[in-house]
Amino acid sequence: MHPYLFELASLMAIFAFAIVSPGADLAMVMRQSIVQGRRAAIVTSFGIGAALMLHVTYTILGLGLIISQSIYLFNIVKWCGVAYLVYIGIKALRAGKADLSVEAMGGEEDKGRQTALRAFGLGFLANALNPKAVFFFLSIFSTVVGAHTPIAVKFGYGLVMATCLIAWFVGVSLFMTTPRMRAAFARMSQWIDRTSGLVFIALGIKLATEKAH
């Protein structure tokens, strides 16, 4: 096997577990699917994938090592992430009853729905402001990827990982917005918002207790 293929296979074997593990990204896509509809959830998925490329880029350039070794920089990223998660949690708790009908979830004709830019930004920030991603990508790239692997190849690895991440969350979005799932959630929209709000706040509190390793 070509060494680059072996590196990519090793990266994806590790990354597969990270993709499906519960966290702020999954909570965000699920809430977007339930409350904002399929289009917003898919756009949010692309925002998460774009943030992954941000993590890959600074890891390759060596900035991830600087952040991981600096308590000050780590805390800046951490507390920005905490503030963001708590903010969207409070917004969810304060949200009114959403229209979860299948017709409303079409999105194209409903001008009152979330813009694509906002949906993309929600996904991007949820992933970009997660300091654990700094250590995750730094650790797997330093462990699995050889020091002499060309930068272009490393970026190629990142693109494959981002594509898989987007595909996973698009799949979640499609599943959560099927008519049967929409009908199941239609009667519980306010409780869904309250539950997701508490989840985001809990994730923020959990992140606040994280320490640099």
Side-chain angles (χ1 to χ4, degrees):
M1 179 182 290
H2 195 283
Y4 296 159
L5 291 178
F6 179 77
E7 285 183 347
L8 179 59
S10 300
L11 280 173
M12 294 310 300
I14 299 171
F15 188 59
F17 290 99
I19 288 179
V20 300
S21 63
D25 294 347
L26 181 60
M28 177 65 74
V29 171
M30 290 182 68
R31 182 177 186 274
Q32 286 287 87
S33 299
I34 295 168
V35 177
Q36 295 296 335
R38 176 172 294 179
R39 185 178 65 176
I42 291 175
V43 175
T44 297
S45 301
F46 276 87
I48 294 171
L52 183 147
M53 285 306 301
L54 172 67
H55 292 305
V56 169
T57 299
Y58 67 63
T59 297
I60 293 173
L61 296 178
L63 298 179
L65 180 61
I66 296 174
I67 295 174
S68 68
Q69 297 300 318
S70 171
I71 298 298
Y72 177 72
L73 291 177
F74 173 84
N75 283 330
I76 289 177
V77 177
K78 182 180 80 170
W79 288 109
C80 285
V82 170
Y84 179 68
L85 288 172
V86 172
Y87 168 74
I88 59 177
I90 292 174
K91 291 277 287 185
L93 288 174
R94 296 178 61 185
K97 186 175 182 179
D99 183 1
L100 298 181
S101 64
V102 175
E103 292 79 7
M105 288 300 104
E108 285 79 3
E109 303 299 329
D110 190 348
K111 297 181 180 179
R113 292 223 160 261
Q114 191 177 73
T115 65
L117 181 60
R118 176 164 174 75
F120 183 91
L122 286 171
F124 184 87
L125 290 176
N127 189 280
L129 294 178
N130 184 357
K132 290 188 290 185
V134 178
F135 298 102
F136 176 78
F137 284 102
L138 182 63
S139 62
I140 65 170
F141 266 78
S142 61
T143 303
V144 177
V145 180
H148 300 293
T149 299
I151 290 179
V153 174
K154 293 179 181 178
F155 275 111
Y157 294 161
L159 286 173
V160 173
M161 296 166 76
T163 300
C164 292
L165 183 66
I166 292 170
W168 162 250
F169 283 126
V170 167
V172 172
S173 303
L174 294 175
F175 173 74
M176 296 296 293
T177 53
T178 57
R180 180 172 295 183
M181 292 297 292
R182 295 234 61 82
F185 288 120
R187 297 184 297 272
M188 305 182 293
S189 63
Q190 284 184 304
W191 287 108
I192 290 169
D193 264 324
R194 290 169 184 171
T195 301
S196 62
L198 291 174
V199 168
F200 283 123
I201 291 173
L203 288 170
I205 294 173
K206 182 177 183 296
L207 178 57
T209 63
E210 295 281 343
K211 296 181 179 180
H213 300 291

